[in-house]
Structure formats: structure tokens, C-alpha cells
Amino acid sequence: MNVLFTDVMTVYNYCGSGDTERWSRSVIHGVQWSHNKTEVTVSGGVQTEAKVEKITVDFQRNYGNKPYLPPDEYRKLPPEQCGEFWTLDAKSGQDVIVLGEIAQEIGREYRLSALKKDFQYAVTVTAVSDNRNRMRLKNIKVVGK
């Protein structure tokens, strides 16, 4: 195990089709989670700062995680297959990641709003940088708010 990637995260992927709404939970090992980083954006001459969580997922080693699918491929899965894979989709604005191994399943009894209330480090995926095509240090970097 790499000493830099000792954190664990739980990924909640939205997997819906028509009237069917479903959330798939995946526990991912081999993660480095950095808290409360400052992200500065400038729009129309106005600078704003926001606290974000930055996460790096190691793909150099095998941690026994489910197979990862790029977001475009994951969106094409039928709902009954979503639980076999995981993704990080910033475009949909619906994927949520939580620091640690979380047992709660999102559904009728336990909503996404409750998850975000119950866990301090539960954030929505807002940016993803896929660096798995590199020769060394294969990773995906994620920003969550």
C-alpha cells in the first residue's frame, strides 16, 4: 500500500432511467483526501473564493475496488448493472462522495439530504481530471463542494 493513498471514500452514483431513480454505493480504497482547500474563480472581474475538498484516487495499484467506468459509459448502463461499477461524473452534478466507509444506502428511507447533513465531508463532485493514461502515477483528481 502506498503511504500517500491511505484514505477511503464512499461514492454514491446516481443511476436513473425514466421514472426509475437509484443510487449505487461503492467503497473506494487508495484515496488521498485533502480538506478545505481554497478554490479561486474570477467571473466578470469579480473574484470569489470557496472551500473545496480535493481528492486523488490512485489507479497505479490494485486496492480491490469495483471496476471504474468513464461517466459516458456509466450513464449508458441499465439500472440493474450500476452496482457493478463506479464513476466520477462532474457533468451530471449528482454524484456524491463521502470521506470514509459509509454503510448507509440512499433510498426512500434515507435521502441524499440526510447523508449530507449526517457527514461533514459529504460533497458533490464538481470537477474531475482523469490522468489514468499516464505512464506513471495513474490517478483521477476530483474536486467536491
Side-chain angles (χ1 to χ4, degrees), residues 90-107:
K91 187 176 179 180
S92 74
Q94 295 180 305
D95 287 352
V96 173
I97 51 179
V98 184
L99 177 61
E101 186 169 341
I102 310 303
Q104 283 85 344
E105 296 283 353
I106 297 175

Side-chain angles (χ1 to χ4, degrees), residues 63-126:
Y63 293 92
N65 298 328
K66 294 178 189 178
Y68 177 86
L69 280 182
D72 290 340
E73 291 179 36
Y74 189 86
R75 281 188 226 111
K76 294 176 186 173
L77 291 175
E80 60 273 5
Q81 289 184 351
C82 289
E84 299 172 24
F85 303 93
W86 67 285
T87 193
L88 294 164
D89 188 352
K91 187 176 179 180
S92 74
Q94 295 180 305
D95 287 352
V96 173
I97 51 179
V98 184
L99 177 61
E101 186 169 341
I102 310 303
Q104 283 85 344
E105 296 283 353
I106 297 175
R108 291 181 186 194
E109 295 82 33
Y110 191 77
R111 302 302 233 173
L112 185 59
S113 57
L115 178 80
K116 288 186 173 186
K117 181 181 175 187
D118 291 346
F119 296 96
Q120 177 181 2
Y121 297 111
V123 295
T124 301
V125 174
T126 58

Side-chain angles (χ1 to χ4, degrees), residues 15-35:
C15 187
S17 175
D19 293 337
T20 306
E21 179 178 306
R22 181 173 173 200
W23 292 87
S24 175
R25 181 180 60 86
S26 303
V27 175
I28 307 301
H29 297 267
V31 174
Q32 183 181 49
W33 191 294
S34 301
H35 299 293

